[in-house]
């Protein structure tokens, strides 16, 4: 049996611990890590929030979150009591000297009881506009601790455009060294996203054909059936381009397009990903409609339920022009990918939840079969199913059984659940453990964040200058606006229906 990896003793301070993220994601993930034996024996999780609560109320709220959301939390029982002893709460907004002193006292108390080296992790689960101020306060209060042992975790969005991302990075770097900053993108913690690297670089089979000679184009789809729900206020300031493309889809693009790393260490992987972003061809501003389509959902039907339109959601302006759908065509200007379009699309209130990468290969170079035998003879297609039904599907041509020669498409399928039994860890489990271990491979470095903004900044500028008069332009429960179909149809191609939506 492989022994679970265990980090050194750790004090984790969660700012904004009364919020949704702590309840829904962070503590459920920490709890599952605890049950699986990955948390250090000596660990304290200290929550800080303006909401008035004592330790007992804090623990009760988190127990509820663990029961609902933790992978291993269905019946917390005795394990919960053991875990809950590690949780405590400080009420405050971290702006006054009294709060600084209390936090410092609690951290020292935990550390001094244990003796020896201790990690100190600050998790900023706070609204984005508070991040810079919080970092500055930590610095001013002298709480930044030893560089090797102190880490800060920052949630997306990292800024609202290139200029604000740079300003935020500058503020953070006045207080912390880049090696201490862990910019989290939960997509990078997903097992199937990590598996893109394993699939490409642990097999000799696919890498030799992974380039413009064999690949016609790539599609990356992140479709959600959900609307914006209770996050209308946030979404009004973000939109799909910032919320999804700039962060998650661009990261998936990097993993699909990057060159093989020499070694699996944090800097090497992140360098190779940065190379991709630097090679992305800037979108020509005067032809932006050939490269980008935006949409906003109106009311419609999903699985027999009537859904309201975006403008009717809580916290959303009745005349909002914020996009809930984006389709985008990018080129990566390097030797490997010259001329291969990468089509990215994401949207809310689409017919199904499905995240997939579809690699469409070029057609067979010579048509040796008689026309009557082949039908439409589609080229090979490889689909990496990121979620749900995690797996891989390779579509190829086969001879249909029978006395006559007839070809038909067939699939080779790999299913995670079928092959590796058990539930995979949640993205936050992987990422939180990596922070405690000091492994930054799955986190975004400053240059990647800025390069990501460089890709989308011109689009934001162009959109600011024109109002989308046709919003809402797609019905809930459909695959987005007509402009998205045109975007790919102008190149003589079509969007692939995600596997999750076709079965
Ligand atoms: C978040 C976005 O980062 O990712 C949300 O802010 C989105 O708008 C979510 O719904 C999607 O994540 P997942 O893991 O459900 O695909």
């Amino acid at each position: 049996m492989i022994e679970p990896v265990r980090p050194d003793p750790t004090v984790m301070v969660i700012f904004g611990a009364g919020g949704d993220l702590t309840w829904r994601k962070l503590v459920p993930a920490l709890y599952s890590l605890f049950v699986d034996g990955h948390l250090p024996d000596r660990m304290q999780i200290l929550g800080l929030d303006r909401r008035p609560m004592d330790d007992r109320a804090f623990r009760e709220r988190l127990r509820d979150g663990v029961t609902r959301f933790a992978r291993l939390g269905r019946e917390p029982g005795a394990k919960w009591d053991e875990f809950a002893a590690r949780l405590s709460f400080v009420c405050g907004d971290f702006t006054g000297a009294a709060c600084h002193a209390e936090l410092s006292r609690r951290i020292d108390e935990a550390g001094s009881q244990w003796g020896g080296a201790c990690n100190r992790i600050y998790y900023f689960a706070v609204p984005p506009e508070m991040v810079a101020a919080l970092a500055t306060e930590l610095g001013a209060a002298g709480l930044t601790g030893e560089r090797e042992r102190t880490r800060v975790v920052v949630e997306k969005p990292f800024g609202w455009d290139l200029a604000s991302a740079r300003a935020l990075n500058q503020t953070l770097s006045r207080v912390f060294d880049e090696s201490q900053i862990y910019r989290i993108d939960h997509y990078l913690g997903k097992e199937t996203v990590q598996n893109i690297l394993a699939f490409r670089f642990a097999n000799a089979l696919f890498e030799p054909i992974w380039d413009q000679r064999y690949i016609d184009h790539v599609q990356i789809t992140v479709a959600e059936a959900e609307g914006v729900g209770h996050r209308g206020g946030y979404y009004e300031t973000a939109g799909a381009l910032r919320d999804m493309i700039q962060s998650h889809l661009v990261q998936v693009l990097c993993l699909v397009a990057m060159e093989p790393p020499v070694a699996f260490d944090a800097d090497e992987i992140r360098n190779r990903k940065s190379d991709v972003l630097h090679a992305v061809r800037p979108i020509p501003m005067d032809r932006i409609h050939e490269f980008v389509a935006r949409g906003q959902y109106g009311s419609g039907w999903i699985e027999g339920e009537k859904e309201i339109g975006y403008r009717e959601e809580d916290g959303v302006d009745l005349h909002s022009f914020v996009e809930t759908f984006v389709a985008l065509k990018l080129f990566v200007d390097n030797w490997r990918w010259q001329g291969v379009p990468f089509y990215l699309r994401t949207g809310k209130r689409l017919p199904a939840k499905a995240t997939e990468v579809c690699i469409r290969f070029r057609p067979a170079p010579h048509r040796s079969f008689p026309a009557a035998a082949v039908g439409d003879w589609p080229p090979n297609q490889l689909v990496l199913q990121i979620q749900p039904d995690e797996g891989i599907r390779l579509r190829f041509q086969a001879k249909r059984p029978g006395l006559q020669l007839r070809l038909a498409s067939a699939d080779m399928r790999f299913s995670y659940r079928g092959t590796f039994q058990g539930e995979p860890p949640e993205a936050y489990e992987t990422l939180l453990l990596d922070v405690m271990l000091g492994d930054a491979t799955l986190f975004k470095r400053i240059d990647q964040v800025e390069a990501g903004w460089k890709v989308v900044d011109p689009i934001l500028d162009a959109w600011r200058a024109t109002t989308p008069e046709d919003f809402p332009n797609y019905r809930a429960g459909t695959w987005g606006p007509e402009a998205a179909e045109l975007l790919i149809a102008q190149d003589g191609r079509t969007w692939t229906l995600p596997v999750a939506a076709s079965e």
Side-chain angles (χ1 to χ4, degrees):
M1 201 180 118
I2 305 172
E3 278 294 304
V5 223
R6 275 191 191 227
D8 289 337
T10 299
V11 179
M12 183 179 288
V13 181
I14 305 179
F15 294 95
D20 228 41
L21 183 70
T22 309
W23 173 66
R24 195 184 278 271
K25 294 285 184 194
L26 303 184
V27 169
L30 288 166
Y31 177 75
S32 295
L33 285 172
F34 172 72
V35 174
D36 269 349
H38 289 292
L39 288 195
D41 286 335
R42 288 175 294 180
M43 168 133 195
Q44 278 296 316
I45 302 161
L46 190 58
L48 197 125
D49 203 286
R50 242 179 289 187
R51 277 189 185 201
M53 258 190 284
D54 58 13
D55 284 354
R56 202 168 61 84
F58 182 57
R59 289 175 185 155
E60 258 167 38
R61 180 173 146 77
L62 297 179
R63 184 189 166 115
D64 171 62
V66 161
T67 315
R68 290 188 205 207
F69 306 115
R71 179 174 55 94
L72 301 175
R74 259 137 240 151
E75 283 166 25
K79 274 281 172 197
W80 168 259
D81 296 337
E82 233 183 287
F83 175 76
R86 292 160 165 78
L87 297 168
S88 57
F89 186 76
V90 176
C91 179
D93 60 3
F94 201 63
T95 45
C99 191
H100 296 173
E102 177 63 8
L103 186 61
S104 168
R105 189 183 68 73
R106 300 271 201 120
I107 295 173
D108 290 347
E109 201 176 83
S112 61
Q113 274 171 16
W114 302 336
C118 167
N119 293 330
R120 185 185 291 198
I121 293 167
Y122 295 119
Y123 202 113
F124 290 3
V126 296
E129 60 279 8
M130 287 172 64
V131 168
L134 189 51
T136 310
E137 287 272 347
L138 274 172
L143 280 168
T144 44
E146 273 175 82
R147 179 184 283 193
E148 287 69 35
R149 294 261 164 208
T150 306
R151 292 160 208 150
V152 56
V153 187
V154 186
E155 279 281 337
K156 75 173 231 314
F158 313 107
W160 301 101
D161 53 18
L162 180 59
S164 56
R166 278 191 175 143
L168 175 61
N169 282 332
Q170 274 163 13
T171 308
L172 289 173
S173 63
R174 269 183 229 121
V175 183
F176 299 102
D177 183 71
E178 178 60 22
S179 62
Q180 298 176 277
I181 305 172
Y182 287 66
R183 296 179 192 81
I184 210 162
D185 180 321
H186 78 282
Y187 261 62
L188 294 177
K190 289 184 191 276
E191 286 283 312
T192 38
V193 171
Q194 294 174 63
N195 190 51
I196 298 175
L197 293 184
F199 180 78
R200 288 191 57 199
F201 304 130
N203 297 296
L205 197 58
F206 290 99
E207 206 43 32
I209 55 167
W210 207 258
D211 63 26
Q212 43 81 21
R213 290 169 307 159
Y214 295 96
I215 293 179
D216 176 74
H217 74 279
V218 176
Q219 297 185 18
I220 301 174
T221 297
V222 180
E224 295 184 89
E226 296 287 309
V228 292
H230 63 279
R231 294 169 76 225
Y234 153 75
Y235 208 81
E236 278 285 275
T237 59
L241 188 68
R242 291 188 178 94
D243 186 47
M244 297 295 287
I245 300 270
Q246 191 276 338
S247 49
H248 308 322
L249 278 87
V250 159
Q251 287 300 312
V252 175
L253 163 76
C254 288
L255 295 172
V256 173
M258 69 190 257
E259 293 302 316
V262 173
F264 260 75
D265 74 59
D267 268 330
E268 174 67 7
I269 302 264
R270 299 192 297 177
N271 288 343
R272 296 293 73 82
K273 287 168 66 184
S274 277
D275 292 344
V276 175
L277 291 174
H278 290 127
V280 170
R281 187 186 304 168
I283 292 177
M285 296 287 281
D286 54 337
R287 289 165 48 217
I288 202 135
H289 61 280
E290 287 174 38
F291 291 83
V292 194
R294 59 177 153 167
Q296 185 193 77
Y297 62 84
S299 60
W301 294 84
I302 301 184
E303 293 184 351
E305 296 281 328
K306 173 93 171 140
E307 304 293 354
I308 56 172
Y310 175 68
R311 289 177 178 181
E312 284 91 60
E313 301 275 12
D314 271 356
V316 172
D317 186 334
L318 266 181
H319 305 285
S320 173
F321 289 115
V322 169
E323 80 289 352
T324 59
F325 177 99
V326 180
L328 175 66
K329 175 167 68 168
L330 294 174
F331 287 96
V332 177
D333 276 339
N334 60 17
W335 193 301
R336 185 188 285 264
W337 294 115
Q338 200 47 235
V340 178
F342 286 78
Y343 298 98
L344 278 51
R345 67 173 165 166
T346 185
K348 296 213 183 272
R349 286 276 184 248
L350 301 187
K353 181 168 177 75
T355 301
E356 291 187 3
V357 177
C358 175
I359 313 285
R360 294 262 210 117
F361 290 90
R362 292 190 184 282
H366 173 60
R367 305 208 143 212
S368 38
F369 294 96
V374 296
D376 66 352
W377 198 345
N380 297 116
Q381 177 175 301
L382 177 75
V383 178
L384 309 176
Q385 292 166 246
I386 307 292
Q387 64 184 19
D389 304 332
E390 293 79 358
I392 296 175
R393 190 167 87 158
L394 179 64
R395 178 157 288 185
F396 59 98
Q397 294 299 299
K399 180 185 175 303
R400 196 188 276 276
L403 296 176
Q404 282 174 312
L405 179 61
R406 287 252 189 283
L407 300 186
S409 291
D411 288 339
M412 263 194 253
R413 289 167 180 237
F414 154 71
S415 145
Y416 262 83
R417 279 161 219 270
T419 304
F420 306 112
Q421 274 75 42
E423 246 185 284
E426 292 282 338
Y428 272 96
E429 292 175 46
T430 305
L431 296 171
L432 284 167
L433 183 61
D434 281 358
V435 178
M436 289 186 264
L437 292 169
D439 180 352
T441 311
L442 300 177
F443 294 81
K444 297 207 260 196
R445 212 172 46 189
I446 185 167
D447 54 325
Q448 289 175 317
V449 172
E450 295 186 5
W453 281 115
K454 278 189 195 148
V455 174
V456 303
D457 247 24
I459 308 173
L460 290 170
D461 288 344
W463 283 358
R464 244 175 252 127
T466 51
T467 306
E469 299 297 350
D470 62 344
F471 273 15
N473 59 358
Y474 69 98
R475 271 184 298 118
T478 62
W479 285 104
E482 202 185 333
E485 301 300 327
L486 289 176
L487 181 112
I488 195 163
Q490 72 192 349
D491 300 337
R493 301 185 176 102
T494 51
W495 293 106
T496 305
L497 185 64
V499 175
S502 61
E503 295 181 334

